[in-house]
Amino acid sequence: MEFNRRTAMAAGLGAVVAASGATVSAAAPTTVTVTVQGEAAVRTNIAVRRDRRASGGRYLGLWTVEKPPARTGWYATYTVHVPRAGVYALTAVATAPVETPHTEAVASYPHLSVNDGPFTEIARSQPHWYESPPAWGDLSVLDLGVVELRGGTDTLTFRVTEPAVLDDTTAYVLTLDRFTLRRLEGHPALRELSVPRHRAGEPARLHLALDGHTTRPYRVRYTVSDHHGRQVTTGRATIPAGDAGTTVTLPDLPPGHYLVRADGVTGRFARLPARPAVTGPTSRFGVNVWASSLVPPSRLADFAAALRDMGAGWVRDGQSWPAAEPAPGVYDTAQHDRRTRTLRAHGLAVLDVLSPAPEWAMTDSSMPLPADLRHAYRYARRLAAAGPEALQLSNEPDVDTTRSTGDAHAAFVKAAALGIKDAAPEPCLVVLPGIAQTGPFQDLMLANDVVRYADVWAFHGYPDPTEPGEPSFPGAADEQHELARRHQADVPLWMTECGAFQKARPGEDLTPGQEIAQARYVVRSTVEGLAAGNDRQFWFAGPPLHDDGVYFGLLDRDFRPLPAYSAFAALTSLLGAAHFTGPAPRLPDGVRGFDFDSGRGERVTVVWAQRPVRLDRYVTGTAYDMMGRRLPTGRPVTASRDPLYIVTPADPPRPSATTRPRARLSPAEHIVLAQRFSARDAAPGKDDGDAPPPHGYRLGRRTRMTVDVYNFGDTARQVTVAAQPVGGGWTVRAEQGRAEQGRAEQGREAQGREATRIRVPAGGRIGVNFTVRAQSSVPRRIDRRLAFGATLDDHSEVPASVALIHLK
């Protein structure tokens, strides 16, 4: 929906000033605009602040971590005089509750009450707020919808009861410079056509809503069409005088996605397959949600139910570490814990993602990781205790813009994984960072032996956005599976992000062609991902999401289902347990097919083709279209770009997919080695993953560095640390003493390497200093591996730390 810039009309010139701060202007003989200053509230518990950029030099400004009064919340009540009763468009100059292109500042979602009526959250979607034009500072011109006023004296009350997640804390925020009311001529008018989610076999009830109460019967003629644009039914409805809506029952329709139109208004609804999908942790299907940024609080429960009904067993979510731990050991996870409880209460398994560390935990050389990995251990342990099914240890660290390296992230992963596994006798799953692309960053992480700390290997895969035509499934899955085989990684692989780049014009949803392309890709990418061996597949993203011209969500900007939502529901309903059994045999040329065991005594074959191909003699079972509609028997079946499902009886079901935590880690694995260099020796940077070599730390001819030895066990340990030979003209020598408390014992190992023996207390960290020298023969800007190993007194080996270095 385009930002509401419609001219509001009101009969006559009755211009009445409300309270102090309200003005009325007449732009034309019948145009009335009422503007009220934010600081002109007649009752409020929010402070007024000064700023020359504000329209009156002042504005209403709330920013507090103090909880609101239980009875009233943080509020501001305004008295407004308008010429006559009617429907008014409401806009405001305020801070949006989501980030916009011109500012990262966010506010709380506001609630609104008109004439002391019930409060309603202004729960608009991220695309709606994202496209708000800038006003001044962090404020935008916000479209807040419409309100129905009785005329004369009306009251509007804005209220805040939920905090916003800010950069480094959660706080209650409302910044309001002014708001404007414009009367809409010809209203009340039809505002919404909606059909609640339901399954085939249940009644479909169409609700028609006006934006105000009508004074005479309001008659509507509506049409319903399927995802191909074919009309499937029509009808008439009458909204009685004095009402604002009515409900009618639609005829029985097959499963699918439908549009309903009337009076220039379009609604969407999904009729779900009669058979629900597998839900919970055994499901192979997931969706990214990022609820704190993309789902208004009042919508979360219904949104979670919509994902469950669609067949998503998993959701990938996260919270801001800086906001969750604003000071060392001081946790504020109540908001996130409540979201997690809501998601789980609707049968969804939760994969949480660790975000970058708080500023207080980082140094210039450690960012975006904590300089002391004990903070990572404690924070991960705290998150795991909240009970998500899985925790992912960062998101795409290989393509951020920092100069962090694969070895540093590997040490972070080990520390966080130990925190998770020490949180409970049966801890949640440890999921490796979601890697954006194969390359030196991931190679270095794997060289540091991180897989032994994890239960799941994770990666992402997106099609090439510059590729013409419909998106194609990327090669990331094959690359990652080959990499896992090469490292003998005996863990399942999850694609924790998979989606398509669909360009959308500002203020508009996808075109019909883009919507169908998205629906096809949801099915095809999921099928191809499972066929490649992925144990779980997560679509990006579920909620409405518009980012720099690209639209990702399965729901439109009004939280209504897109065709991809219905296609996802058909996929999960028909595939069931979704055990991939192999390519479908004996298909004609040009047709791709994949066989699955549904776990219900069925074989499900998913087929598609770039050009239409008749399949009549190849179909021996029951065929369903992309939306889950059963195709009539005895009629031609044609493979096309829209995937088809062919269901036939099969052998008894296989067990459901499960991923279990690995065995408890050993005392040696509770010792973590982390190489630490000064900021002046930092690596060149990843340049969003495309930086050319060299990739390692940039050293001079003589460089001092430290190996931090962490003991995350519950018993003090004697640890012997030694550098492995570098070669190529490089030498490494341990210095006398160490960076932290106590003395080191130094000697030589049998292989001739210089070793340092230290005692590391339980939960402690000891730094061992080394000097790295480059002889004159060392060429510049050529990476070499710098590795350190360690052993305990029982000769058990500590996982090594492996970094890259080069002469700058």
Side-chain angles (χ1 to χ4, degrees):
M1 185 187 343
E2 187 176 354
F3 179 79
N4 189 355
R5 296 183 180 276
R6 293 174 293 178
T7 302
M9 309 295 290
L13 291 175
V16 182
V17 177
S20 173
T23 60
V24 178
S25 63
T30 58
T31 301
V32 174
T33 298
V34 179
T35 297
V36 180
Q37 300 300 320
E39 66 272 18
V42 294
R43 294 186 303 278
T44 185
N45 55 8
I46 300 173
V48 173
R49 304 181 187 276
R50 295 184 178 275
D51 195 303
R52 287 182 294 179
R53 296 171 295 178
S55 61
R58 297 186 299 168
Y59 65 95
L60 195 74
L62 171 70
W63 195 108
T64 182
V65 296
E66 182 182 344
K67 292 187 180 299
R71 188 176 63 85
T72 63
W74 299 113
Y75 78 98
T77 298
Y78 300 86
T79 300
V80 181
H81 292 266
V82 294
R84 55 183 294 189
V87 177
Y88 287 77
L90 175 62
T91 60
V93 173
T95 302
V98 304
E99 292 183 7
T100 64
H102 56 273
T103 179
E104 295 179 356
V106 298
S108 301
Y109 280 90
H111 293 71
L112 178 65
S113 168
V114 178
N115 292 324
D116 298 322
F119 280 94
T120 301
E121 185 179 73
I122 304 176
R124 316 203 82 164
S125 67
Q126 182 266 358
H128 180 91
W129 303 113
Y130 183 83
E131 295 160 357
S132 302
W136 57 269
D138 294 327
L139 281 67
S140 306
V141 181
L142 305 181
D143 174 8
L144 302 184
V146 298
V147 294
E148 185 180 19
L149 301 180
R150 62 195 177 197
T153 300
D154 291 86
T155 61
L156 274 71
T157 300
F158 294 92
R159 184 181 73 173
V160 166
T161 60
E162 294 278 352
V165 179
L166 308 180
D167 288 340
D168 56 2
T169 190
T170 56
Y172 299 87
V173 183
L174 175 64
T175 306
L176 177 61
D177 181 7
R178 63 187 184 273
F179 66 87
T180 299
L181 293 160
R182 298 182 181 90
R183 190 173 187 278
L184 302 178
E185 186 67 20
H187 289 245
L190 191 63
R191 174 178 58 88
E192 182 181 24
L193 299 163
S194 60
V195 178
R197 285 187 314 281
H198 62 286
R199 296 197 175 275
E202 300 173 353
R205 294 188 172 90
L206 170 63
H207 183 65
L208 303 94
L210 303 177
D211 54 18
H213 291 75
T214 181
T215 56
R216 58 180 182 273
Y218 191 104
R219 295 177 176 83
V220 179
R221 181 180 184 276
Y222 60 85
T223 62
V224 180
S225 57
D226 65 13
H227 70 284
H228 289 297
R230 297 177 299 214
Q231 182 174 303
V232 296
T233 189
T234 64
R236 296 179 183 275
T238 300
I239 299 173
D243 287 351
T246 191
T247 300
V248 297
T249 301
L250 297 175
D252 190 40
L253 297 169
H257 177 266
Y258 295 93
L259 296 179
V260 54
R261 295 184 175 92
D263 292 358
V265 177
T266 299
R268 305 172 181 270
F269 68 93
R271 188 161 169 85
L272 301 168
R275 182 162 57 182
V278 174
T279 58
T282 61
S283 169
R284 296 189 185 274
F285 308 101
V287 177
N288 284 265
V289 297
W290 306 116
S292 65
S293 299
L294 301 177
V295 183
S298 66
R299 290 189 182 270
L300 182 59
D302 185 69
F303 172 74
L307 294 187
R308 176 204 59 207
D309 292 346
M310 183 187 72
W314 285 83
V315 289
R316 182 169 179 253
D317 197 24
Q319 67 176 321
S320 165
W321 183 355
E325 192 180 5
V330 178
Y331 296 103
D332 180 12
T333 63
Q335 296 299 115
H336 182 73
D337 292 346
R338 189 170 67 184
R339 287 194 299 271
T340 298
R341 287 194 299 270
T342 299
L343 294 168
R344 297 186 73 197
H346 286 82
L348 299 169
V350 176
L351 168 60
D352 248 342
V353 183
L354 267 68
S355 80
E359 187 174 344
W360 57 258
M362 295 188 294
T363 63
D364 290 343
S365 58
S366 76
M367 126 181 5
L369 305 173
D372 186 336
L373 296 181
R374 288 173 292 186
H375 294 308
Y377 174 90
R378 288 190 286 264
Y379 180 62
R381 186 168 182 166
R382 167 80 182 209
L383 292 187
E389 280 68 24
L391 265 170
Q392 188 165 28
L393 305 182
S394 78
N395 179 62
E396 296 189 350
D398 55 321
V399 294
D400 67 22
T401 56
T402 71
R403 294 191 287 176
S404 60
T405 55
D407 63 288
H409 274 268
F412 167 79
V413 166
K414 293 173 185 178
L418 287 165
I420 294 168
K421 291 186 177 295
D422 290 347
E426 295 184 9
C428 65
L429 299 175
V430 173
V431 183
L432 289 176
I435 294 295
Q437 58 196 40
T438 56
F441 185 94
Q442 186 183 19
D443 290 341
L444 198 53
M445 280 190 60
L446 296 171
N448 279 267
D449 207 6
V450 293
V451 177
R452 71 164 72 190
Y453 289 83
D455 305 305
V456 176
W457 177 307
F459 65 98
H460 298 164
Y462 289 90
D464 183 353
T466 65
E467 185 179 87
E470 293 194 10
S472 299
F473 189 64
D478 290 338
E479 293 170 357
Q480 292 288 335
H481 281 272
E482 173 57 32
L483 194 59
R485 284 190 291 269
R486 196 157 65 241
H487 284 265
Q488 299 180 327
D490 185 24
V491 292
L493 274 71
W494 293 9
M495 183 179 272
T496 52
E497 283 188 25
C498 177
F501 297 91
Q502 298 279 4
K503 287 286 186 179
R505 292 186 294 273
E508 298 184 18
D509 287 314
L510 301 176
T511 66
Q514 289 175 313
E515 290 180 356
I516 297 303
Q518 184 194 44
R520 292 173 181 146
Y521 191 68
V522 162
V523 177
R524 292 163 62 163
S525 64
T526 304
V527 167
E528 291 193 69
L530 296 176
N534 297 343
D535 197 66
R536 301 288 189 276
Q537 191 86 7
F538 289 74
W539 178 260
F540 188 89
L545 173 58
H546 186 274
D547 184 18
D548 195 23
V550 179
Y551 195 91
F552 290 102
L554 297 176
L555 306 176
D556 73 6
R557 63 183 51 239
D558 293 313
F559 283 90
R560 303 172 302 187
L562 291 169
Y565 176 94
S566 297
F568 196 113
L571 170 77
T572 57
S573 171
L574 289 163
L575 286 194
H579 301 291
F580 176 66
T581 59
R586 299 183 299 279
L587 289 175
D589 292 343
V591 179
R592 301 195 68 191
F594 303 85
D595 281 346
F596 290 85
D597 177 355
S598 72
R600 299 181 293 232
E602 299 166 330
R603 184 183 75 183
V604 183
T605 304
V606 190
V607 297
W608 62 80
Q610 286 302 108
R611 295 180 177 82
V613 178
R614 288 280 292 272
L615 294 178
D616 300 7
R617 64 191 180 92
Y618 299 92
V619 176
T620 59
T622 304
Y624 298 82
D625 72 5
M626 181 172 67
M627 298 297 175
R629 178 175 66 96
R630 182 172 178 171
L631 301 182
T633 57
R635 294 190 184 179
V637 176
T638 301
S640 69
R641 290 184 297 171
D642 289 359
L644 290 175
Y645 303 88
I646 301 167
V647 181
T648 55
D651 294 331
R654 296 170 54 179
S656 298
T658 57
T659 301
R660 290 186 172 86
R662 305 173 101 186
R664 184 174 175 83
L665 294 166
S666 69
E669 290 167 323
H670 275 72
I671 305 297
V672 175
L673 307 180
Q675 300 186 38
R676 175 158 49 94
F677 293 83
S678 67
R680 67 176 177 272
D681 301 320
K686 296 186 285 292
D687 193 20
D688 201 26
D690 296 322
H695 301 284
Y697 298 101
R698 298 177 294 182
L699 308 187
R701 292 288 178 185
R702 181 179 182 276
T703 304
R704 295 187 63 190
M705 55 83 63
T706 300
V707 176
D708 287 328
V709 184
Y710 292 87
N711 178 8
F712 291 108
D714 54 10
T715 303
R717 298 287 176 184
Q718 298 286 345
V719 184
T720 301
V721 184
Q724 298 176 6
V726 180
W730 291 92
T731 60
V732 185
R733 182 178 295 276
E735 296 186 4
Q736 190 67 34
R738 59 186 188 273
E740 294 192 26
Q741 59 188 351
R743 290 183 174 273
E745 301 173 11
Q746 293 182 290
R748 296 205 174 261
E749 293 186 319
Q751 297 88 344
R753 293 180 295 168
E754 191 175 84
T756 302
R757 186 171 181 266
I758 56 175
R759 183 180 184 276
V760 188
R765 177 184 70 172
I766 301 296
V768 182
N769 295 326
F770 289 85
T771 299
V772 183
R773 287 184 170 87
Q775 297 176 3
S776 58
S777 61
V778 172
R780 296 185 183 276
R781 298 181 57 80
I782 301 296
D783 282 328
R784 299 284 297 194
R785 285 197 171 191
L786 174 63
F788 292 88
T791 58
L792 303 185
D793 280 356
D794 62 2
H795 304 294
S796 57
E797 291 190 3
V798 171
S801 172
V802 183
L804 294 177
I805 58 172
H806 64 268
L807 185 63
K808 59 185 173 183

